Amino acid sequence: MNETIKAILDRRSIRNFKNIPLTDEQIQTFAQVALASPTGMDRQLWIFRLVTRLDLIQAMSDHAMNVFREAGDLVTVDRMRSRHKSIFYGAPLLILIGLPKDASSNLEAGIAVENLAIAAQSMGLASCIIGMASAAFTGDRGDELKDMLDWPGTHDFAISIAIGYPNTTKEAPERHPEKLKRID
Ligand SMILES: Cc1cc2nc3c(=O)[nH]c(=O)nc-3n(C[C@H](O)[C@H](O)[C@H](O)COP(=O)(O)O)c2cc1C
């Protein structure tokens, strides 16, 4: 099996990362991978923020948890508490992807985030795609956090991905072959 297919099949959402920073070279690779993602008519309307500041990553997580708590979403609060003290699971790199506010879909952010996930896997790293980070951009601290990320007012958060060295393993989820049909 070729290495790319192996990386796709072996990728798992990892929810506990080692406290080991990534090198500049690794981060540069993710920057290249992000910017190489295909977009419709090559418009490249997304923005990326590659965040290694652990205090900022934790502040985003703490604020997101407060937003869930204040919204009375105790199911999410309890689930996250049982997993890790951060919704980013201690990752040393968080990549946030934004799309123009009037984007008709999140498709191009999804394509970029999967590129990053497969790249991480191929580099001996692990990842977890994190949609719930959207909560960090709402509530009373949302704008302040956007400012700290130099986030433009023209774009909304679309998706994020936490990347680092895995501190745990995970089995593959059940697959559903009945969802797929070959039409020959
Ligand atoms: C769009 C999207 C959003 C996700 N958001 C979260 C999230 O906020 N927190 C989390 O722990 N996992 C999140 N995940 C990971 C999924 O739960 C995970 O991909 C799924 O359970 C399948 O497991 P696997 O990635 O190990 O194959 C997200 C995945 C996707 C594709």
Side-chain angles (χ1 to χ4, degrees), residues 28 31-32 40 54 75 100 107 121 140 144-145 148 153 158 163 174:
Q28 271 310 319
Q32 262 184 303
L54 298 184
V75 173
L107 191 60
Q121 182 70 31
D140 58 347
E144 178 196 341
L145 289 166
M148 292 166 90
I163 298 175
E174 189 188 350

PDB file of all heavy atoms in Angstrom, residues 28 31-32 40 54 75 100 107 121 140 144-145 148 153 158 163 174:
ATOM      1  N   GLN A  28       6.188  25.151   9.097  1.00  0.00           N
ATOM      2  CA  GLN A  28       6.276  25.663   7.722  1.00  0.00           C
ATOM      3  C   GLN A  28       5.642  24.691   6.732  1.00  0.00           C
ATOM      4  O   GLN A  28       5.006  25.093   5.757  1.00  0.00           O
ATOM      5  CB  GLN A  28       7.743  25.899   7.331  1.00  0.00           C
ATOM      6  CG  GLN A  28       8.252  27.280   7.681  1.00  0.00           C
ATOM      7  CD  GLN A  28       7.307  28.383   7.196  1.00  0.00           C
ATOM      8  OE1 GLN A  28       6.763  28.339   6.104  1.00  0.00           O
ATOM      9  NE2 GLN A  28       7.081  29.369   8.048  1.00  0.00           N
ATOM     10  N   ALA A  31       2.034  25.200   6.831  1.00  0.00           N
ATOM     11  CA  ALA A  31       1.678  26.442   6.136  1.00  0.00           C
ATOM     12  C   ALA A  31       1.604  26.185   4.629  1.00  0.00           C
ATOM     13  O   ALA A  31       0.649  26.612   3.955  1.00  0.00           O
ATOM     14  CB  ALA A  31       2.708  27.526   6.451  1.00  0.00           C
ATOM     15  N   GLN A  32       2.591  25.454   4.120  1.00  0.00           N
ATOM     16  CA  GLN A  32       2.604  25.130   2.682  1.00  0.00           C
ATOM     17  C   GLN A  32       1.400  24.273   2.301  1.00  0.00           C
ATOM     18  O   GLN A  32       0.764  24.492   1.263  1.00  0.00           O
ATOM     19  CB  GLN A  32       3.858  24.324   2.362  1.00  0.00           C
ATOM     20  CG  GLN A  32       5.003  25.109   1.790  1.00  0.00           C
ATOM     21  CD  GLN A  32       6.130  24.157   1.431  1.00  0.00           C
ATOM     22  OE1 GLN A  32       6.616  23.418   2.297  1.00  0.00           O
ATOM     23  NE2 GLN A  32       6.525  24.156   0.175  1.00  0.00           N
ATOM     24  N   GLY A  40     -12.411  26.439  -5.468  1.00  0.00           N
ATOM     25  CA  GLY A  40     -13.174  26.655  -6.693  1.00  0.00           C
ATOM     26  C   GLY A  40     -12.648  27.873  -7.445  1.00  0.00           C
ATOM     27  O   GLY A  40     -12.457  28.939  -6.849  1.00  0.00           O
ATOM     28  N   LEU A  54       0.551  28.744  23.559  1.00  0.00           N
ATOM     29  CA  LEU A  54      -0.264  27.839  24.377  1.00  0.00           C
ATOM     30  C   LEU A  54      -1.246  28.603  25.256  1.00  0.00           C
ATOM     31  O   LEU A  54      -2.354  28.129  25.523  1.00  0.00           O
ATOM     32  CB  LEU A  54       0.634  26.936  25.234  1.00  0.00           C
ATOM     33  CG  LEU A  54       1.576  26.008  24.453  1.00  0.00           C
ATOM     34  CD1 LEU A  54       2.347  25.099  25.408  1.00  0.00           C
ATOM     35  CD2 LEU A  54       0.824  25.165  23.422  1.00  0.00           C
ATOM     36  N   VAL A  75     -24.198  18.812  28.647  1.00  0.00           N
ATOM     37  CA  VAL A  75     -23.763  17.552  28.026  1.00  0.00           C
ATOM     38  C   VAL A  75     -22.372  17.752  27.427  1.00  0.00           C
ATOM     39  O   VAL A  75     -21.452  16.957  27.654  1.00  0.00           O
ATOM     40  CB  VAL A  75     -24.772  17.110  26.931  1.00  0.00           C
ATOM     41  CG1 VAL A  75     -24.257  15.909  26.165  1.00  0.00           C
ATOM     42  CG2 VAL A  75     -26.120  16.807  27.557  1.00  0.00           C
ATOM     43  N   PRO A 100     -14.931  33.623   3.993  1.00  0.00           N
ATOM     44  CA  PRO A 100     -15.689  34.869   3.910  1.00  0.00           C
ATOM     45  C   PRO A 100     -17.091  34.695   4.490  1.00  0.00           C
ATOM     46  O   PRO A 100     -17.711  33.634   4.316  1.00  0.00           O
ATOM     47  CB  PRO A 100     -15.756  35.151   2.409  1.00  0.00           C
ATOM     48  CG  PRO A 100     -14.605  34.422   1.824  1.00  0.00           C
ATOM     49  CD  PRO A 100     -14.396  33.206   2.684  1.00  0.00           C
ATOM     50  N   LEU A 107     -17.198  24.062   2.295  1.00  0.00           N
ATOM     51  CA  LEU A 107     -16.480  23.020   1.552  1.00  0.00           C
ATOM     52  C   LEU A 107     -14.976  23.267   1.475  1.00  0.00           C
ATOM     53  O   LEU A 107     -14.163  22.365   1.720  1.00  0.00           O
ATOM     54  CB  LEU A 107     -17.070  22.957   0.146  1.00  0.00           C
ATOM     55  CG  LEU A 107     -16.670  21.781  -0.713  1.00  0.00           C
ATOM     56  CD1 LEU A 107     -17.075  20.475  -0.067  1.00  0.00           C
ATOM     57  CD2 LEU A 107     -17.339  21.909  -2.085  1.00  0.00           C
ATOM     58  N   GLN A 121      -0.562  13.127   9.680  1.00  0.00           N
ATOM     59  CA  GLN A 121      -0.399  11.670   9.803  1.00  0.00           C
ATOM     60  C   GLN A 121       0.867  11.217   9.083  1.00  0.00           C
ATOM     61  O   GLN A 121       1.637  10.404   9.604  1.00  0.00           O
ATOM     62  CB  GLN A 121      -1.641  10.981   9.209  1.00  0.00           C
ATOM     63  CG  GLN A 121      -1.632   9.473   9.315  1.00  0.00           C
ATOM     64  CD  GLN A 121      -1.816   8.991  10.747  1.00  0.00           C
ATOM     65  OE1 GLN A 121      -2.487   9.644  11.540  1.00  0.00           O
ATOM     66  NE2 GLN A 121      -1.230   7.855  11.081  1.00  0.00           N
ATOM     67  N   ASP A 140     -18.861  36.996  25.248  1.00  0.00           N
ATOM     68  CA  ASP A 140     -18.307  38.302  25.633  1.00  0.00           C
ATOM     69  C   ASP A 140     -16.815  38.455  25.309  1.00  0.00           C
ATOM     70  O   ASP A 140     -16.327  39.581  25.220  1.00  0.00           O
ATOM     71  CB  ASP A 140     -18.567  38.566  27.131  1.00  0.00           C
ATOM     72  CG  ASP A 140     -17.962  37.492  28.021  1.00  0.00           C
ATOM     73  OD1 ASP A 140     -17.557  36.422  27.483  1.00  0.00           O
ATOM     74  OD2 ASP A 140     -17.873  37.706  29.235  1.00  0.00           O
ATOM     75  N   GLU A 144     -12.438  39.899  21.426  1.00  0.00           N
ATOM     76  CA  GLU A 144     -11.081  40.056  21.982  1.00  0.00           C
ATOM     77  C   GLU A 144     -10.162  38.936  21.466  1.00  0.00           C
ATOM     78  O   GLU A 144      -9.018  39.176  21.061  1.00  0.00           O
ATOM     79  CB  GLU A 144     -11.203  39.995  23.514  1.00  0.00           C
ATOM     80  CG  GLU A 144      -9.912  40.095  24.268  1.00  0.00           C
ATOM     81  CD  GLU A 144     -10.094  39.634  25.717  1.00  0.00           C
ATOM     82  OE1 GLU A 144     -11.254  39.598  26.204  1.00  0.00           O
ATOM     83  OE2 GLU A 144      -9.088  39.281  26.340  1.00  0.00           O
ATOM     84  N   LEU A 145     -10.683  37.721  21.463  1.00  0.00           N
ATOM     85  CA  LEU A 145      -9.872  36.592  20.980  1.00  0.00           C
ATOM     86  C   LEU A 145      -9.597  36.731  19.483  1.00  0.00           C
ATOM     87  O   LEU A 145      -8.490  36.449  19.018  1.00  0.00           O
ATOM     88  CB  LEU A 145     -10.564  35.260  21.305  1.00  0.00           C
ATOM     89  CG  LEU A 145     -10.543  34.911  22.801  1.00  0.00           C
ATOM     90  CD1 LEU A 145     -11.525  33.792  23.118  1.00  0.00           C
ATOM     91  CD2 LEU A 145      -9.136  34.510  23.249  1.00  0.00           C
ATOM     92  N   MET A 148      -6.771  39.036  19.064  1.00  0.00           N
ATOM     93  CA  MET A 148      -5.486  38.410  19.399  1.00  0.00           C
ATOM     94  C   MET A 148      -4.992  37.509  18.264  1.00  0.00           C
ATOM     95  O   MET A 148      -3.801  37.247  18.131  1.00  0.00           O
ATOM     96  CB  MET A 148      -5.598  37.624  20.708  1.00  0.00           C
ATOM     97  CG  MET A 148      -5.808  38.528  21.916  1.00  0.00           C
ATOM     98  SD  MET A 148      -6.332  37.608  23.344  1.00  0.00           S
ATOM     99  CE  MET A 148      -4.747  37.210  24.044  1.00  0.00           C
ATOM    100  N   GLY A 153     -12.554  41.071  10.052  1.00  0.00           N
ATOM    101  CA  GLY A 153     -14.011  41.123  10.207  1.00  0.00           C
ATOM    102  C   GLY A 153     -14.756  40.564   9.006  1.00  0.00           C
ATOM    103  O   GLY A 153     -15.955  40.306   9.077  1.00  0.00           O
ATOM    104  N   ALA A 158     -14.491  28.754  10.332  1.00  0.00           N
ATOM    105  CA  ALA A 158     -15.120  27.623   9.636  1.00  0.00           C
ATOM    106  C   ALA A 158     -14.814  26.304  10.353  1.00  0.00           C
ATOM    107  O   ALA A 158     -15.721  25.519  10.649  1.00  0.00           O
ATOM    108  CB  ALA A 158     -14.642  27.557   8.196  1.00  0.00           C
ATOM    109  N   ILE A 163      -2.995  19.789  16.235  1.00  0.00           N
ATOM    110  CA  ILE A 163      -1.950  18.900  15.699  1.00  0.00           C
ATOM    111  C   ILE A 163      -0.816  18.769  16.709  1.00  0.00           C
ATOM    112  O   ILE A 163      -0.398  19.755  17.327  1.00  0.00           O
ATOM    113  CB  ILE A 163      -1.399  19.448  14.364  1.00  0.00           C
ATOM    114  CG1 ILE A 163      -2.513  19.510  13.317  1.00  0.00           C
ATOM    115  CG2 ILE A 163      -0.237  18.590  13.852  1.00  0.00           C
ATOM    116  CD1 ILE A 163      -2.108  20.149  11.988  1.00  0.00           C
ATOM    117  N   GLU A 174     -16.364   2.148  13.487  1.00  0.00           N
ATOM    118  CA  GLU A 174     -17.009   1.170  12.609  1.00  0.00           C
ATOM    119  C   GLU A 174     -17.243   1.789  11.225  1.00  0.00           C
ATOM    120  O   GLU A 174     -17.644   2.944  11.112  1.00  0.00           O
ATOM    121  CB  GLU A 174     -18.368   0.786  13.232  1.00  0.00           C
ATOM    122  CG  GLU A 174     -19.031  -0.371  12.550  1.00  0.00           C
ATOM    123  CD  GLU A 174     -20.451  -0.594  13.079  1.00  0.00           C
ATOM    124  OE1 GLU A 174     -20.841   0.016  14.091  1.00  0.00           O
ATOM    125  OE2 GLU A 174     -21.156  -1.383  12.434  1.00  0.00           O
TER     126      GLU A 174
END
